[in-house]
Every structure is written in structure tokens, then in C-alpha cells.
Amino acid sequence: MSDNVVHLHKNPDTTPEPPSNVTTLTVVPEPRPVPLWVRSGRAVRKVATAENARTAGRITVRHTTYVLGGARIVARRAWDGRTAARYERLLRAAEAAGNYEAATEWEERGQRYREARHRRRMDLLTSPVDAAKGAAAGVGLGIGGLLLIGIALAVATKDAVDVITPLMAVVRLIRLLITIVQVTWGPLITIGPLLALLGLWEVGRRAQAAPYWALPDNVRSSEGEPITPSIVVKALRDLGVPALRNAIKDMGDAGASMLGPIRIAGCGVEVDVTLPSGVSTIEVQQRRRKLAENLTRHEHEVFITIPEAARTVRLWVADSGALDEPIGPSPLVTDETMTADYAKGKAPWGQDLRGDAAALSLYQRHLLITGLSNQGKTVALRSLALWLALDKSVEFWMGDLKGVGDWNMFDGLATRLIQGPTDEHVIQVTEMAEDAVAEMNRRLQAPPGTQFPALIVLVDEAQVAFMCPIKDEDGRFYGGSKATSRYYMAARKIHNQGRAVNVLLWQGTQDPTDQNLPKLVREGAHTRASLALGTESQARMALGDKAVDGGAAPNLLRPGLDQGTLVVASSGIHIPKGQSSITVRTHYVDDDAAKAIIERAKALRDGVTTLHVIERGEERDPLADIASVLGDAPRVLTQTVLQRLAALNDDAYGRWSFGDLKRALEDVGADPRKSDGRMVVDRERVVRALANRDDEGSASADG
């Protein structure tokens, strides 16, 4: 066993020196934990110190580059003022833009400037002699003048010494000026460079000649900064397109020749940009977000379209926050005297981005509106129907496959109104569309030149019909997109030939796919409009490839924030030349306002009996049906009665002619008669005949 002894000591400072054969182990006490508040304070101090260092660095870089940038600007101005560089720069810009007439003009101006400069330089060869002669003559005249003044003064004072008094006064003035210069020269030598630096700093500060990250916070985060040519060129230069950046760098005018005039357009400005060779318009379109940020705007405040001119993009830049402000109320609400004209009028739908009224012609145009859920599709579609309802000649057949009451106000105006989301409602809507096909075929077989009133077959939430899995008794699907799919085929037939006889299909769908909105159906619409969508592929389904390739981008609208904003592709709305679509902010017409508009529309009509369920394959009572379709009007045209009967039950009355109607009424003594030269059915006579028939039936039963 070892003789070594181990001593343990906690405090080495107070421990005596151990013997040589003793091994000492010193136990160092464990450090006490640092409180949390101390650690937090250190972290905060560290962060604050780092932030202060960053701020100080930014300030140093900013003010240094202000001076350097100011010197560069002043030097360039001086160079431009002393040489023909300005003319050369503008000449190259005109040539790059292909404007050879302007290039020739700048070349002539440059040549005139060089000739004038040459004359000035030649004059400098003789100017010293001329200056000396002039100075000598001036001095001689000056001395002579002073002496004359002195003589006059001496004569007046009778003192000969006054002859040189004016001359000596000038000498003393010169001596005083020399003294002033001697006193101030030293300070001027010291202060002059500081004043020059201050002037250069001010020039650089006004031009913001510093890196963006070094600029003050209020400049870097500025919203709504006016759009100027220099800002647009800088935004394009920093877009990340090497060919564009290099072309701007090589341009003598720093890219100004690319820009057309900046025009005020509604709540923003518009400018056409002619891109240099080697830069494609798609390269700019694909960088919309970066371009917007370079312009100190949000992405939704910048729209890029392709005008008619080649290699050109049209930028529309909104005033900051302007698109978040609501537009005014619809003229349908504010003008209670407004009426509609299906053939010649246009529906007031909203405003375009320029603030101009956006009106849509509905004449012989099938319609498709799509978008994500809860973006304002039904309200936008209903606004068009509300306007058209003010044309009393237009008839509506409506199917709402959502069924929450958005179309309730059309009860009593629409001939058919089916509301509900079930498969049974899909069946009824499908049969309604097939009845529209039958009506279309009847009109197509009418004598040439026959005029037909508009029949609007409106289906909201049409994707429910396309996705319905139910089969009929023959094994045909009501939904789907095959040749045996009933709703699909009815829509296709109306699209093919309905326009010619004013049988039109309006559809509203959401979240389009190839399954819930087949290709042939969406391409059969003449007017295609889209609210916010999720992807570019959906945008192409909604509007078509041409519109999207031309700049239409409903997929870039903000869901929930851009409710009611539509991208429209249609020949029925004014679209600026060269564009393939237009963005419209639609008016919001709420349910109460819609009900008031419909009441005005009902007042224009004789009364309509709305059919809520399509009944088929049952025995009909012609006299009772005629009485029901007459409504409250005292007299109704026979042609109108036939149309309403066909809408009530196409199987029973779809093939009725005037002769069939006349026979049905003659049998009960209520035959049609003329009123103002036109054949009408008298409601009072029909009701009396129906009452007499019921009384006779009751008497027979009692007997």
C-alpha cells in the first residue's frame, strides 16, 4: 500500500503547503448559474450593439456615396456641357429605337454644335490681343474720365489738389479690395473645399445616389412613390434579365428610349416599354412580382399585358392601395329609370383598371364565369341577369345548383326556377337544358326571317351537373363529358346553334378542371370571365391560351381580397387595341338591391308564372294550364301564351300551334280575339269558362 496521502481542499488560497509525499487534489467549486434576466439582458445588449453598428455602417456608406455620386453627376453634366456627348447619346438612342428621322435631327444638331465650338476656339487665337487693346482703351478712358471729374471738382472748389482726388479714391478702393482678399484668402482656402463637398453631397442626396440598402428607412419603404421614367428603367434593369440589363447599360440615354409616354390611367399610370433585341416579353411577364417590388408596389398593383406592337409590354401600375378601395354603386341601383335592350344595349358591369365604365354586350353570346369559391361569381353573374331582366322581351330559365337563395328574387319573373344541390335538382336542370334544345330546334325550323325573343338558360354551379353520377332508365349519365352524357350534350347543342335563334346558355362554375368543366363546353362560350384562380393551368381553362399568353392572369388575383375582380375575354366588351383581355372590378349588388331591381322588371311585364318543378308524363288540363300561365294580366298575346305553355310542359304543349290553342278555348267559349290588331287571350273569359266548367262538373256529380 502506498504511503502517499491524499488531501482534499476546497480553497487552495488558504491551504498550507503539503508534505512532499502528499498528493493534493483541489476541488474547484462549480460556478453559480447566471440568472435568466442577466442572460436576456446580455442578448438584448448584443443585438442592440449589432443593430447600432449596422445603422452606423449604413449612414457612413450612404453619405460617402452621396458625395461620390454627386461628383459623378456634376462631372457628367460638365462633360455634356463642354462636349457633344449629349447629342451622341441621343443619336444612339434614336437609332436603337429605329427612329431614324430623330437620329438625323440629333446628328444635325451635333454638327452645328461642333461648328460653333470650332468658331469659338478660333476666336481664342486673337482674343488676347483684342483683350489687351480693349483693356488699354478702357484704362485710358477711365483715367481720362477720372481726371475730367477731378478738374471739374477743382474748378468748383478752387483747389488744384482736387484734380487727382477721384483718381486717388479709386486707388484706395483697389487697395481695400486687396486687403479684403488677403484677410479672407486663408479661410476661403480652408472652407472652399468643404463647401464644394457639401454641394456634391446635396446633388447626390437629391438623386438618391446611394445603394438601396443604405438609403433611409422612409425612402426604402416608401409606398406610392410616383412612377417616373428613371424608376421604370431602374426596375427593368434590376429585373434579373442579363440581356435587358446589358442593353440598358449600353444605351446612350440609359434606357429612356425604351419607354413611351407615361399616361395617367384611372387609379394608376400606364406605359409601353419596347424591349431591346434579345429580350422576350415572356421574360418580363414571368417576373411580375420582382418588377412590382422594384416599383415599390405589391404584385397585385402591377399588370403586364402584350399590346399590338412587336416586342412591347404594357405596364399598368396602380397608385399604392388604390385597388383596395371599393368602386361606386352600380347604375342599376342608382338609376331607377334604367331599362335594358338585349340587342343594342350593354350591361353596366363595373370599372376597368383605368377607372372607365366596363359595359358588356350580351347579344347572342354564350357566357361562362368561373373562379374559386366565395369570390363573387354568383353576384357577378346575377348583375348581368338583373340588367337583362329590365328588357321585358327576355325570358329566363334558371337552375341554381347551390340552392341557398341567391336567385330567389327571380321567382315571378323567370319562367323556370330550379334551386337545390341534390341529384334530383341536377336531373331537373338537365331536362330544362334539353327543353331549351327542343325550343332551339323549333325556332331553327321556323320560316326564314322569323324573329325570336331571347331565351337565357342560366345554370349556376354548373360543375355539380357535370359531376353528377346518376344514370337515367336508359343507362345514360346525367353528368360527365361523353357523347352519352345528357347535360353535356345539351350544353354542346345550345353552344353549336343556339346563338342564331337567341337561345343562350349562361354558366357559372367554380374551381375548373377538365372533369367539372369539359374543354368543348368552356370553349363554346363567347364571353369568358374568371375571378381569382389557383394556378395558371386553371386560368388557361377559364380564358383560353390566347388570353393567358397575352397577359391575362386571374391566378395572380388575391383570393378573398380581390373579390368581384374579373379578367374578361370577350368581343362584347371594349378591350384596348392589341390586348386579348381586360380586368374588370364589378359592382356589388346585394340581395335587397337585387329584389328592388326585379320588382322594377316585373312592373314592365304582364306577369309570369314561375315553374319550380318540371312535370312530365302526366295528364294535363289545358284550360287550367292556360289560366295559370296568364298570370294577373287582363290580356296576353297568343304567341306568349304558347311559349309559356311550352315552358310549363314541353311534352304536352311543345308542339302546340295557334290552331291548337284556339280549339282548346273555342270549346269553352273563350276563343282568342283581336286587341289593337293582335290576337290575345282574355283572362276574364278563361277564368269564367273554368269556373263554369267546375260548376257544371259539380252539378253533374251531385245529380
Side-chain angles (χ1 to χ4, degrees):
M1 184 174 179
S2 174
D3 293 334
N4 292 339
V5 179
V6 177
H7 290 265
L8 299 178
H9 298 283
K10 290 187 177 180
N11 190 350
D13 296 333
T14 60
T15 302
E17 187 70 23
S20 59
N21 64 339
V22 176
T23 301
T24 302
L25 296 180
T26 302
V27 178
V28 180
E30 182 180 353
R32 295 165 59 186
V34 180
L36 179 60
W37 64 271
V38 174
R39 284 181 287 167
S40 300
R42 291 174 179 172
V44 170
R45 185 165 61 253
K46 183 177 180 180
V47 171
T49 303
E51 181 61 30
N52 291 338
R54 283 195 294 268
T55 302
R58 283 177 48 205
I59 292 174
T60 303
V61 172
R62 177 166 68 245
H63 293 291
T64 301
T65 51
Y66 277 172
V67 175
L68 297 177
R72 178 179 55 82
I73 293 171
V74 170
R76 182 165 186 173
R77 290 175 180 172
W79 179 257
D80 286 346
R82 300 292 298 174
T83 67
R86 177 187 295 110
Y87 302 99
E88 292 292 337
R89 185 166 61 251
L90 294 173
L91 170 61
R92 290 195 300 270
E95 288 178 342
N99 190 348
Y100 297 106
E101 182 178 352
T104 302
E105 181 181 354
W106 285 117
E107 185 178 14
E108 293 175 354
R109 289 187 180 185
Q111 187 62 32
R112 289 197 297 269
Y113 172 83
R114 292 186 185 92
E115 292 175 356
R117 183 180 60 185
H118 177 71
R119 287 195 299 271
R120 289 194 300 271
R121 289 176 176 174
M122 295 302 295
D123 292 341
L124 289 176
L125 297 176
T126 59
S127 60
V129 177
D130 295 338
K133 291 179 179 179
V139 170
L141 289 174
I143 294 174
L146 291 173
L147 289 175
L148 288 175
I149 295 173
I151 293 171
L153 183 62
V155 171
T157 60
K158 299 179 180 181
D159 187 356
V161 178
D162 288 338
V163 172
I164 62 172
T165 297
L167 187 60
M168 295 307 294
V170 173
V171 171
R172 286 193 294 270
L173 176 62
I174 294 173
R175 181 182 298 172
L176 176 62
L177 293 176
I178 293 173
T179 303
I180 293 174
V181 170
Q182 289 175 341
V183 172
T184 59
W185 183 252
L188 286 176
I189 291 297
T190 304
I191 298 175
L194 296 178
L195 294 177
L197 288 176
L198 183 60
L200 296 177
W201 176 87
E202 178 63 17
V203 172
R205 186 190 66 83
R206 290 181 178 275
Q208 298 295 335
Y212 181 77
W213 57 268
L215 293 175
D217 292 337
N218 61 335
V219 175
R220 288 188 297 117
S221 61
S222 62
E223 296 286 344
E225 184 178 3
I227 300 300
T228 62
S230 62
I231 289 177
V232 176
V233 172
K234 288 180 182 178
L236 293 169
R237 183 194 63 194
D238 300 335
L239 202 54
V241 182
L244 180 58
R245 181 179 63 251
N246 295 334
I248 292 175
K249 187 184 301 183
D250 294 338
M251 290 181 183
D253 61 348
S257 61
M258 297 193 307
L259 306 184
I262 296 180
R263 305 176 295 271
I264 296 177
C267 56
V269 297
E270 185 179 72
V271 59
D272 287 351
V273 180
T274 302
L275 300 176
S277 178
V279 181
S280 170
T281 55
I282 193 66
E283 293 181 278
V284 177
Q285 284 183 295
Q286 291 175 343
R287 292 168 172 81
R288 177 184 174 189
R289 173 174 295 182
K290 189 170 185 179
L291 178 61
E293 293 172 349
N294 291 348
L295 293 168
T296 66
R297 295 295 191 274
H298 296 292
E299 183 178 12
H300 71 278
E301 294 175 328
V302 174
F303 287 82
I304 306 172
T305 54
I306 309 300
E308 190 174 29
R311 215 173 64 233
T312 302
V313 293
R314 178 168 294 162
L315 307 181
W316 185 86
V317 185
D319 298 335
S320 184
L323 294 184
D324 296 326
E325 298 293 330
I327 64 174
S330 170
L332 290 170
V333 177
T334 58
D335 185 2
E336 296 186 357
T337 63
M338 176 176 283
T339 58
D341 187 336
Y342 161 72
K344 299 179 181 178
K346 290 189 175 184
W349 211 7
Q351 294 180 0
D352 62 17
L353 296 178
R354 296 166 181 80
D356 300 329
L360 179 67
S361 172
L362 304 173
Y363 179 64
Q364 292 188 345
R365 289 180 175 88
H366 301 299
L367 176 67
L368 172 66
I369 299 180
T370 187
L372 297 178
S373 178
N374 195 33
Q375 298 304 309
K377 167 180 54 64
T378 296
V379 173
L381 183 61
R382 190 175 67 184
S383 297
L384 299 177
L386 289 172
W387 176 80
L388 197 55
L390 296 174
D391 184 340
K392 64 181 181 180
S393 68
V394 178
E395 183 179 1
F396 290 95
W397 294 3
M398 294 182 166
D400 175 17
L401 294 177
K402 181 163 55 178
V404 296
D406 290 333
W407 300 88
N408 274 344
M409 65 287 300
F410 282 84
D411 193 357
L413 187 139
T415 307
R416 301 187 185 187
L417 180 59
I418 301 167
Q419 301 182 90
T422 67
D423 291 338
E424 180 60 32
H425 292 101
V426 172
I427 293 173
Q428 294 183 22
V429 167
T430 301
E431 293 174 346
M432 178 184 75
E434 291 172 339
D435 289 346
V437 173
E439 171 64 14
M440 175 190 73
N441 292 333
R442 183 187 69 80
R443 294 183 178 191
L444 289 170
Q445 297 171 19
T450 305
Q451 298 296 319
F452 298 101
L455 171 59
I456 306 300
V457 182
L458 189 152
V459 181
D460 196 10
E461 306 296 340
Q463 77 278 356
V464 177
F466 286 113
M467 298 300 289
C468 180
I470 301 299
K471 292 182 180 181
D472 62 12
E473 59 274 9
D474 297 327
R476 298 175 60 198
F477 284 101
Y478 285 93
S481 57
K482 297 182 179 179
T484 56
S485 302
R486 293 180 59 178
Y487 180 80
Y488 169 77
M489 290 305 299
R492 287 289 300 125
K493 290 176 181 178
I494 296 174
H495 279 168
N496 287 340
Q497 296 178 301
R499 183 191 65 82
V501 289
N502 291 324
V503 176
L504 304 177
L505 179 62
W506 292 7
Q507 296 182 100
T509 70
Q510 63 175 260
D511 202 11
T513 65
D514 284 328
Q515 289 71 40
N516 64 24
L517 188 59
K519 185 175 187 294
L520 292 179
V521 171
R522 60 183 186 249
E523 291 185 351
H526 302 98
T527 295
R528 300 167 73 173
S530 176
L531 296 116
L533 288 173
T535 64
E536 182 180 324
S537 63
Q538 287 184 316
R540 292 184 181 276
M541 291 181 191
L543 300 176
D545 291 336
K546 180 180 179 181
V548 174
D549 291 339
N555 52 301
L556 297 181
L557 295 174
R558 302 167 298 166
L561 297 177
D562 290 325
Q563 288 183 327
T565 300
L566 288 161
V567 182
V568 184
S570 172
S571 61
I573 193 170
H574 173 69
I575 297 177
K577 189 175 182 181
Q579 295 181 203
S580 56
S581 65
I582 189 171
T583 301
V584 176
R585 304 172 67 199
T586 59
H587 294 294
Y588 177 72
V589 182
D590 60 27
D591 291 349
D592 293 337
K595 292 175 183 177
I597 296 169
I598 288 299
E599 290 303 318
R600 286 157 40 198
K602 289 179 180 178
L604 300 174
R605 302 168 186 252
D606 294 332
V608 176
T609 300
T610 299
L611 179 65
H612 295 278
V613 179
I614 301 175
E615 300 173 353
R616 297 182 176 278
E618 59 180 327
E619 289 294 328
R620 306 298 305 184
D621 182 349
L623 187 60
D625 287 343
I626 292 172
S628 67
V629 301
L630 290 175
D632 297 330
R635 289 177 296 277
V636 180
L637 295 174
T638 54
Q639 186 63 31
T640 302
V641 173
L642 288 172
Q643 292 175 358
R644 294 178 181 178
L645 287 173
L648 180 65
N649 191 297
D650 189 67
D651 288 346
Y653 304 115
R655 298 182 179 277
W656 266 37
S657 63
F658 173 74
D660 297 319
L661 177 63
K662 183 178 180 182
R663 283 190 294 272
L665 294 175
E666 280 180 341
D667 293 341
V668 294
D671 49 311
R673 59 187 180 85
K674 279 193 174 183
S675 175
D676 295 329
R678 305 182 69 181
M679 298 300 294
V680 298
V681 177
D682 193 302
R683 178 179 178 277
E684 183 179 353
R685 299 177 67 189
V686 172
V687 172
R688 186 187 309 119
L690 186 61
N692 292 338
R693 189 193 66 178
D694 292 341
D695 292 342
E696 292 174 0
S698 299
S700 300
D702 293 340

